[in-house]
Amino acid sequence: MLICVTSEDSPAVAVGPPHPQASLHQVLDDPLEWAAFSERVLPGSSALGGEAPQDWWSYVSVEGMHCAACALNVEAALLGVPGVRQAVVDASTHRARVLWRASDVMPSTWFEAVRRAGYEAIPAHDPVSRLQRQAETRKVLWQWAVAGFCMMQVMMYAAPEYVEGGADIPWDNLQLLHWAGWVLSLPVLIFSCAPYWKSAWQDLKARRMGMDLPVALGMAITFGISTLATFEPKGWWGATVYFDSFTMFVFFLLTGRWLTLRLRDRTAGALDEVLNRLPDVVQRQTADGQWQTVGLKQLRLGDVVRVNPGERFAADGELLDDATWVEEALLTGESRPQRRQRGDTVLAGSHNVSDRVSVRITRLGDDTRHTQIVRLMHDASMDKPRIAQLADRWAKPFLWGVMLAALAAFAYGATQGMSHAVMAAASVLIVTCPCALSLATPSALIAATGRLAKEGVLVRKVQVLDSLAHIDTVVFDKTGTLTTGLTRLETLWSAKHPEGWQANSQALKTLDQDTLDLIAMVGAAATASAHPVSRALCELAQTCAPQGVHAVSDRVSQVREVPGLGLVAQVKGNGEERPLELRMGSLAHVQAGQGASGLPEAAKAATVQVALDGHWVMSLSFGEQLRPDALQALERLRDMGLGLRLLSGDRTEQVQRMAKALGLSPEQALGHCTPADKLRHLQALQAQGHRLLMVGDGFNDMPVLAGADVSMAFAKAVALAQAHADVVTLGEQLLAVPRLIDLSRQTMVVIRGSLWWAVAYNLMSIPLAVMGGLPPALAGLGMAASSLWVVVRALPLNKASTKHRFVQDT
């Protein structure tokens, strides 16, 4: 299929691969096209499971799947291809993630393996996948409509036999009614049942067991027995027809399938919304100043593009026009449109709300925030938690059990007549489907992660939701997590200001030149770190000595960050032959370099100590502000029965003051903690049986984040690609923490309830069907209702709550 987009200014632009198979293979095997639906695995990246630079993760949509057994079949087909190292297929979203090695296999090979298995694989980012998913839903709707119309007509012809009884109706008239039912059932058999026949035939050809095979067998038995009774009513099968039951349970099955497709699109809507936020074509300025419509892949760094109101930005770039309003809720967590002015950065995937603007492209592809978010959401959507893996593993053995139960029903029913035995077996085949069992977990998890994504919280692995539901203690970092960061300079000590210079009462630019030079040097070194303290130093230097920072930047080199302590750098002195060592950070860090001599007693409590070549030169004390919702967030966590801890590398006195303001006891807050100290405290709590959530800034907390049962970081404090946390929130609201835990608990309640429902349904329906007490029509209704019910139970998890928004209006 080829999609073309045309405009008045340029010829058509093709989007998506061409339809012919040979051309499609050429496109898939072109390395330049792989980036559209794949990402290269970095060497040694154990997090992705890859080992060599020729490994790729590819994301595809799989059409033709209807159940968990279909997903297992696709996985088996992919894993059977040499060079495919890993494959994960999600039946609820119809997506697959494939790890393959370019030196051993090309994408067209494993795409073809999926096709031979009876399914169709399409690159996940391709517009064709969206169109085919919509076409599949429309086709199921048509099949449902035909089944419903024919069912009503067949019921009309079957009604006289139910009302009057077969003995009171003349034989010829009764046969005419049977013939009418047979004719009206043919469209249902040929058109409405087509997906079941196709799936069952693929299973038979591959000699495998799928969930549609017992259902198709039940349909074939019901229609076959009824057809024999119509044409030869004196045979051993009897004269009873079941066309009404046949059309009715096909109608019920298609009702469940269509609604499940609709609900699947709703629960997975957040992922699609982010994936499809980039435009297919953009208007790019040519060398002569004209505007040309080009495809997204033709953009290059430095290009100038025009974005109209209502359109989305195709890449990260610099705004060239005066101003506009931009909606970027799914990218930054800001719920309201943000004002962007000339020179500001706009993000790929954000929505231009107000004015037509021009933008110069500064980042494309993997470098954009949009791509990083897509990667996180892809990984989360394809992750299979343990409970889902267990349900999938039991799906196929369960189907073999269904076949045995059908044989038992036939044997038991044979004592009451062959016709009764055949229909009892058909009822067992139809009613006992593990679809509900397989859909219970993924439908709830996708609904929950979709809601989180829409509200600015990204979950790397859905297994995290299970772990979060069992958390009993939340551990917080202080700077940049409970606080908004170091916002203002309060006091400065130096050789010329040993008594302390109060920044609140005097302008920064009134400082003497030597002190300004020191601040400039410190600011130049701090640019190498993204820690909140380093950012505060950079802002201070830019405020009071912007020219000095630029002048001294060439003299500062070999900057090295010591996690949890500070920075070490080399500074070329004026006229000095050797460089001087600059140490800046905590008191312990400066003392380690013998740089505390001459430090005033009052300055020992300062936030940042600075020593040059073993001698103290300056101390800086910054003020911090609690996040506006910190008290409310911690109060909600207490109400949920969770324990609270505060671990910080800051001075104990400062940490205890913060703890008192938050309502924490002295035992709950510890200061002077290095990253190793924090990790030891976490391990001690875990040894006592606690399940921990660590909320940090993502910088010096990496060992602690990795050691906690679940970790969470704020994306504004660190780049998404560097956020080594299980959960990343795009906003800055601490209320995301209690709401995340609450939603995780709700999700697990829904999953457990749905699994118990699926098990109870099968335990009740199988004996009824075996004993012949469940006609095929009710069996079809029960199967459809059971699958639909577990999906409906998950819907409330996807509904955003205005009372508990993760991203609050600012």
Side-chain angles (χ1 to χ4, degrees):
M1 185 172 184
L2 184 66
I3 302 176
C4 293
V5 182
T6 62
S7 71
E8 299 176 357
D9 302 328
S10 67
V13 177
V15 180
H19 182 69
Q21 196 70 21
S23 300
L24 177 59
H25 286 183
Q26 292 173 2
V27 171
L28 292 175
D29 293 344
D30 184 356
L32 296 177
E33 297 292 330
W34 294 348
F37 63 98
S38 308
E39 63 182 42
R40 185 188 294 273
V41 178
L42 298 177
S45 179
S46 59
L48 288 174
E51 298 173 357
Q54 292 207 1
D55 287 352
W56 291 77
W57 275 118
S58 291
Y59 303 91
V60 296
S61 296
V62 182
E63 303 300 330
M65 294 199 311
H66 304 295
C67 58
C70 294
L72 296 176
N73 294 334
V74 175
E75 285 184 2
L78 288 168
L79 293 173
V81 178
V84 173
R85 305 181 57 217
Q86 187 177 337
V88 181
V89 183
D90 192 334
S92 56
T93 60
H94 291 202
R95 293 184 182 273
R97 184 175 62 166
V98 185
L99 178 64
W100 54 281
R101 181 158 292 178
S103 58
D104 299 334
V105 67
M106 289 288 104
S108 62
T109 304
W110 50 267
F111 268 71
E112 180 64 19
V114 174
R115 190 191 65 79
R116 287 197 304 269
Y119 307 93
E120 191 71 27
I122 303 170
H125 292 186
D126 199 306
V128 176
S129 64
R130 280 175 280 161
L131 295 178
Q132 290 207 359
R133 189 171 68 246
Q134 294 170 0
E136 178 188 7
T137 304
R138 284 196 299 268
K139 186 175 181 179
V140 171
L141 181 60
W142 275 106
Q143 291 167 336
W144 170 82
V146 169
F149 176 79
C150 293
M151 177 195 68
M152 290 186 290
Q153 302 305 310
V154 170
M155 290 295 294
M156 181 179 67
Y157 287 112
E161 193 169 356
Y162 285 110
V163 174
E164 299 294 336
D168 297 331
I169 301 176
W171 178 254
D172 291 344
N173 292 348
L174 187 62
Q175 283 297 101
L176 183 62
L177 293 175
H178 290 177
W179 270 85
W182 180 79
V183 171
L184 288 168
S185 297
L186 286 177
V188 179
L189 179 78
I190 297 171
F191 178 66
S192 297
C193 295
Y196 297 97
W197 303 136
K198 179 181 178 181
S199 179
W201 176 242
Q202 294 291 347
D203 290 340
L204 290 173
K205 286 198 305 180
R207 298 181 180 180
R208 67 194 179 205
M209 176 64 72
M211 292 187 188
D212 283 342
L213 184 57
V215 175
L217 189 57
M219 292 175 177
I221 291 174
T222 306
F223 185 83
I225 288 293
S226 301
T227 300
L228 290 173
T230 300
F231 288 93
E232 188 57 52
K234 296 182 180 181
W236 60 264
W237 44 79
T240 305
V241 298
Y242 302 94
F243 294 122
D244 54 337
S245 296
F246 169 73
T247 55
M248 190 180 298
F249 75 70
V250 171
F251 173 75
F252 290 148
L253 291 177
L254 289 173
T255 300
R257 175 164 290 190
W258 178 70
L259 289 174
T260 301
L261 286 174
R262 291 295 305 275
L263 296 177
R264 179 199 73 189
D265 291 340
R266 281 188 59 183
T267 55
L271 176 60
D272 286 338
E273 187 175 354
V274 174
L275 292 178
N276 302 320
R277 284 180 76 88
L278 297 185
D280 295 324
V281 294
V282 296
Q283 291 184 329
R284 182 176 63 184
Q285 190 174 38
T286 60
D288 58 359
Q290 300 299 312
W291 296 99
Q292 177 188 16
T293 301
V294 298
L296 184 61
K297 295 179 183 179
Q298 295 176 260
L299 287 180
R300 297 294 181 267
L301 293 178
D303 285 350
V304 176
V305 297
R306 183 170 64 187
V307 184
N308 295 317
E311 296 179 348
R312 301 192 184 278
F313 294 96
D316 291 358
E318 177 187 353
L319 191 64
L320 300 180
D321 290 316
D322 289 338
T324 188
W325 289 89
V326 178
E327 182 274 314
E328 48 190 29
L330 288 180
L331 301 170
T332 65
E334 298 292 348
S335 57
R336 289 181 176 179
Q338 301 297 303
R339 183 74 169 174
R340 294 289 180 260
Q341 298 179 344
R342 185 191 301 271
D344 288 347
T345 297
V346 291
L347 300 176
S350 58
H351 188 188
N352 183 24
V353 176
S354 57
D355 302 297
R356 172 186 283 187
V357 293
S358 298
V359 175
R360 177 175 288 108
I361 303 300
T362 57
R363 285 190 296 271
L364 283 167
D366 292 344
D367 296 330
T368 64
R369 188 182 184 89
H370 173 268
T371 301
Q372 294 169 2
I373 292 175
V374 166
R375 185 176 298 125
L376 287 177
M377 295 185 66
H378 256 315
D379 291 343
S381 68
M382 295 310 306
D383 184 49
K384 280 190 177 181
R386 289 186 297 269
I387 194 169
Q389 294 172 4
L390 182 64
D392 289 350
R393 193 159 51 244
W394 281 98
K396 286 196 174 184
F398 180 86
L399 291 172
W400 286 108
V402 169
M403 303 299 284
L404 294 176
L407 290 175
F410 180 84
Y412 179 81
T415 59
Q416 305 177 42
M418 293 303 294
S419 176
H420 179 82
V422 170
M423 295 314 298
S427 295
V428 171
L429 291 171
I430 293 168
V431 76
T432 51
C433 178
C435 289
L437 197 63
S438 297
L439 287 173
T441 299
S443 59
L445 292 175
I446 290 171
T449 53
R451 172 176 170 180
L452 289 171
K454 286 187 288 188
E455 298 189 345
V457 178
L458 304 181
V459 179
R460 287 183 179 272
K461 294 183 179 181
V462 293
Q463 181 64 44
V464 168
L465 296 179
D466 185 14
S467 301
L468 277 167
H470 298 92
I471 289 296
D472 59 25
T473 303
V474 183
V475 182
F476 288 95
D477 178 40
K478 183 176 71 71
T479 304
T481 303
L482 288 173
T483 67
T484 56
L486 305 173
T487 56
R488 66 190 184 279
L489 176 67
E490 291 184 342
T491 309
L492 179 149
W493 292 268
S494 68
K496 292 191 176 183
H497 302 281
E499 72 289 350
W501 183 85
Q502 301 299 318
N504 291 336
S505 60
Q506 303 180 47
L508 288 173
K509 293 186 179 180
T510 63
L511 285 168
D512 59 277
Q513 190 59 46
D514 289 343
T515 304
L516 291 176
D517 290 343
L518 282 175
I519 292 175
M521 180 175 59
V522 168
T527 56
S529 170
H531 192 275
V533 175
S534 298
R535 291 205 307 270
L537 292 171
C538 291
E539 293 175 4
L540 173 64
Q542 290 293 337
T543 301
C544 61
Q547 296 179 348
V549 174
H550 179 72
V552 81
S553 59
D554 293 337
R555 295 167 50 198
V556 178
S557 62
Q558 300 181 34
V559 182
R560 177 171 56 89
E561 186 165 4
V562 182
L565 294 175
L567 299 176
V568 179
Q570 298 295 317
V571 180
K572 294 179 181 179
N574 294 323
E576 296 285 344
E577 294 183 359
R578 65 176 183 84
L580 306 178
E581 182 184 71
L582 171 67
R583 280 181 174 261
M584 47 191 283
S586 67
L587 178 60
H589 180 56
V590 172
Q591 287 175 334
Q594 306 299 318
S597 60
L599 175 64
E601 188 65 29
K604 289 182 178 180
T607 310
V608 181
Q609 307 290 348
V610 182
L612 189 61
D613 207 28
H615 300 283
W616 170 83
V617 293
M618 185 168 59
S619 298
L620 300 160
S621 180
F622 286 90
E624 287 185 287
Q625 263 188 329
L626 279 175
R627 292 184 185 271
D629 61 342
L631 285 170
Q632 186 181 3
L634 267 62
E635 189 61 34
R636 285 191 184 176
L637 291 171
R638 288 192 191 93
D639 293 341
M640 296 167 66
L642 296 168
L644 301 174
R645 294 291 189 277
L646 171 59
L647 301 179
S648 175
D650 208 344
R651 306 182 317 276
T652 300
E653 299 81 5
Q654 180 68 19
V655 173
Q656 289 299 328
R657 282 198 298 271
M658 185 73 67
K660 185 176 181 180
L662 293 169
L664 300 176
S665 66
E667 295 77 18
Q668 291 177 296
L670 296 175
H672 276 306
C673 293
T674 65
D677 293 333
K678 293 181 182 180
L679 184 58
R680 280 194 294 270
H681 286 301
L682 251 67
Q683 291 171 343
L685 289 170
Q686 290 171 327
Q688 297 171 14
H690 292 290
R691 304 291 295 273
L692 306 178
L693 166 64
M694 177 67 197
V695 185
D697 59 17
F699 290 103
N700 298 325
D701 296 322
M702 289 181 189
V704 193
L705 293 175
D709 296 283
V710 184
S711 56
M712 182 176 181
F714 290 88
K716 284 198 173 182
V718 64
L720 284 175
Q722 301 170 350
H724 297 270
D726 300 315
V727 182
V728 179
T729 177
L730 301 177
E732 294 186 340
Q733 295 293 321
L734 278 173
L735 285 170
V737 179
R739 189 68 190 113
L740 175 64
I741 297 174
D742 184 48
L743 183 61
S744 300
R745 291 177 175 180
Q746 293 178 36
T747 301
M748 297 315 298
V749 168
V750 169
I751 289 175
R752 285 193 291 267
S754 296
L755 288 174
W756 277 113
W757 154 257
V759 171
Y761 157 76
N762 281 287
L763 290 178
M764 290 186 297
S765 60
I766 291 176
L768 282 174
V770 169
M771 292 185 295
L774 198 65
L778 288 180
L781 177 60
M783 175 193 166
S786 65
S787 299
L788 185 60
W789 175 242
V790 297
V791 179
V792 169
R793 276 179 53 84
L795 278 182
L797 298 174
N798 191 246
K799 294 179 180 178
S801 170
T802 56
K803 182 179 178 180
H804 301 295
R805 289 283 296 178
F806 291 125
V807 181
Q808 301 286 337
D809 292 342
T810 55

